[in-house]
Amino acid sequence: MKSPIFDYLVRYGYKKLVLCTNREVGLRGVIAIHSTDLGPATGGLRMWTYASEEEAIMDALRLARGMTYKYAAAGVNLGGGKAVIIGDPKTEKTEGLLRAMGRFIQSLGGEYQTGEDVGTTLDDMEVLYGETEHVVTLPEHCGGAGPIGPATAYGVQQAMKACCEEVYGSEPMKGRRVALQGLGAVGWPALEGLVKEGAKVVVADIDRAKVDRARRQLGVKAVPPGEIHAQPCDIFAPYALGGILNTRTIPELRCKIVCGSANNQLGEERHGDLLAKRGILYAPDYIANAGGTIYDTDRLQKGGFNRERAWRNVGRIRERMKEVITLARRERIPTYRAADRLAEERLAMARSLKLI
Ligand code: NAD
């Protein structure tokens, strides 16, 4: 019998896959729990128009495993999980749908905790919070950290500094040429931070209004979206889509460093090898972009959300990136493999503690 999903669950060691339905409100959702070795499985709730059920399930599974690695490498004591609702967030999202999903999350008794993701907002999280206490990303008036884009941007900037020290022997961003793709919730504060530090930034976004605003308010140059990755620069900084580093774009890169917030930047793992072969230092996405989740999960620590502690921990991404670079150099492996190895070591440690 062919069973691609069960085979995938076994191959990558998933703990649980829950299918969630409610006929009355039209819910079709998935909760994927990859690991609870380090703590409750945590990861956002995505709402998206998937082409098939299988695509939705695989997306939840892949993202859940990614969260396990992200938390493990970031030194956060949480496991990896992810949830998705199948549907168009612009036209099909209803209070009933969110509440029904909230009840499924509650029924897991804290094994999975949720948050904002593509297609869901902080307001949606407040609705879910009415049904389950297991919501991490919340507005400030509910005891949460509020918007996390600026913390993600700050974390990426720390990773950039570690990369600059490795490549150029100095951390300051003054005078560094950065090609920045995507001016959204993370890309915009990232641009502000870079301009403030004196970097020379060129930007691109498919949304013309955002590009015009960047030109007007921050005096940066812009290029068409299809050209940004090929700009001559020190750092190519992807803050938009996944899969931007691939067989087509990598030969066109004219940078020494790739460091940004976009998730799943490597089209495939082999593209990480290709970057290393070209002598380009790649900041593994889940190391560089962990700032937002480090920031908002601070509320789970002793004493509840503490802004000062949260920012301090986001700042540690710089040290984490240095560790990855050192390991990669010592073992002669690409940085994406070094990051996986750091995460796997921490997971193995957590498992061995459970045996005591
Ligand atoms: P967003 O939707 O707010 O912004 C994305 C921006 O990219 C938009 O302005 C969009 O117009 C632009 N864009 C889309 N396609 C483009 C293209 N082809 N060329 C140029 N620009 C394009 O998203 P965000 O929250 O800023 O997240 C950006 C990336 O970082 C995503 O990959 C996301 O998964 C990842 N990420 C975000 C966070 C966070 O805190 N929000 C945390 C970790 C990772």
Side-chain angles (χ1 to χ4, degrees):
M1 183 184 69
K2 268 184 98 182
S3 57
I5 289 174
F6 276 110
D7 288 351
Y8 192 85
L9 295 180
V10 173
R11 183 169 350 127
Y12 293 110
Y14 284 85
K15 191 171 176 197
K16 196 178 278 187
L17 177 67
V18 185
L19 300 183
C20 315
T21 61
N22 181 304
R23 200 171 51 185
E24 280 66 36
V25 296
L27 172 68
R28 286 184 302 154
V30 179
I31 300 172
I33 297 180
H34 177 251
S35 165
T36 52
D37 287 329
L38 281 165
T42 308
L45 167 64
R46 181 167 288 199
M47 184 162 181
W48 196 246
T49 47
Y50 292 96
S52 68
E53 286 171 8
E54 190 175 335
E55 196 189 291
I57 291 170
M58 290 310 294
D59 198 32
L61 288 172
R62 262 194 302 270
L63 291 163
R65 183 163 171 262
M67 292 309 294
T68 299
Y69 277 72
K70 185 182 280 199
Y71 287 127
V76 176
N77 289 326
L78 293 171
K82 204 83 183 185
V84 306
I85 294 177
I86 301 173
D88 186 338
K90 290 203 181 91
T91 56
E92 292 176 274
K93 199 193 288 171
T94 61
E95 183 188 344
L97 201 66
L98 292 170
R99 285 192 177 277
M101 194 65 184
R103 287 191 186 182
F104 275 103
I105 293 167
Q106 181 63 14
S107 74
L108 293 173
E111 196 178 13
Y112 166 71
Q113 323 185 89
T114 201
E116 198 186 353
D117 202 271
V118 176
T120 57
T121 63
L122 274 184
D123 287 344
D124 298 336
M125 292 303 117
E126 199 173 344
V127 175
L128 282 178
Y129 200 44
E131 295 293 340
T132 174
E133 75 246 48
H134 306 297
V135 185
V136 178
T137 317
L138 281 168
E140 283 165 280
H141 61 262
C142 295
I148 61 170
T152 304
Y154 177 64
V156 175
Q157 207 168 342
Q158 302 311 304
M160 272 184 195
K161 286 176 188 288
C163 292
C164 284
E165 188 183 285
E166 172 68 10
V167 173
Y168 300 107
S170 82
E171 285 193 346
M173 299 303 295
K174 193 165 166 38
R176 292 265 165 259
R177 294 166 309 154
V178 182
L180 192 155
Q181 180 190 43
L183 295 167
V186 187
W188 185 268
L191 173 62
E192 287 180 322
L194 286 165
V195 168
K196 200 167 156 201
E197 283 208 38
K200 291 184 195 142
V201 192
V202 55
V203 302
D205 196 296
I206 50 170
D207 185 334
R208 284 204 63 99
K210 288 181 181 169
V211 173
D212 289 345
R213 186 175 156 221
R215 274 210 198 102
R216 224 178 28 249
Q217 291 186 6
L218 298 166
V220 294
K221 291 203 172 109
V223 294
E227 294 173 19
I228 188 74
H229 68 279
Q231 292 304 302
C233 60
D234 298 307
I235 305 166
F236 170 50
Y239 290 89
L241 304 172
I244 180 66
L245 303 170
N246 55 49
T247 327
R248 183 182 62 79
T249 57
I250 292 172
E252 293 173 357
L253 293 176
R254 292 163 75 192
C255 60
K256 292 265 185 221
I257 296 166
V258 176
C259 181
S261 78
N263 271 316
N264 304 322
Q265 288 170 35
L266 298 174
E268 293 169 37
E269 283 196 344
R270 67 190 170 94
H271 297 127
D273 303 314
L274 212 56
L275 284 169
K277 271 202 198 104
R278 276 212 55 199
I280 295 171
L281 177 59
Y282 168 60
D285 45 17
Y286 68 79
I287 300 286
N289 73 17
T293 194
I294 292 172
Y295 188 73
D296 73 358
T297 57
D298 182 86
R299 68 181 284 268
L300 304 172
Q301 294 200 38
K302 283 197 180 115
F305 182 64
N306 178 312
R307 205 169 296 278
E308 205 179 306
R309 176 180 61 196
W311 278 112
R312 199 174 53 237
N313 285 333
V314 175
R316 295 207 168 112
I317 287 179
R318 191 187 318 199
E319 292 314 311
R320 200 84 54 194
M321 188 61 221
K322 285 184 182 174
E323 263 180 75
V324 169
I325 293 171
T326 306
L327 181 63
R329 202 176 331 108
R330 198 177 63 224
E331 302 288 321
R332 295 171 190 274
I333 53 176
T335 46
Y336 82 92
R337 282 205 191 282
D340 282 1
R341 211 175 276 183
L342 281 184
E344 280 157 11
E345 277 170 15
R346 195 148 179 273
L347 286 165
M349 178 275 296
R351 278 183 216 119
S352 65
L353 285 178
K354 278 189 184 164
L355 299 176
I356 298 174

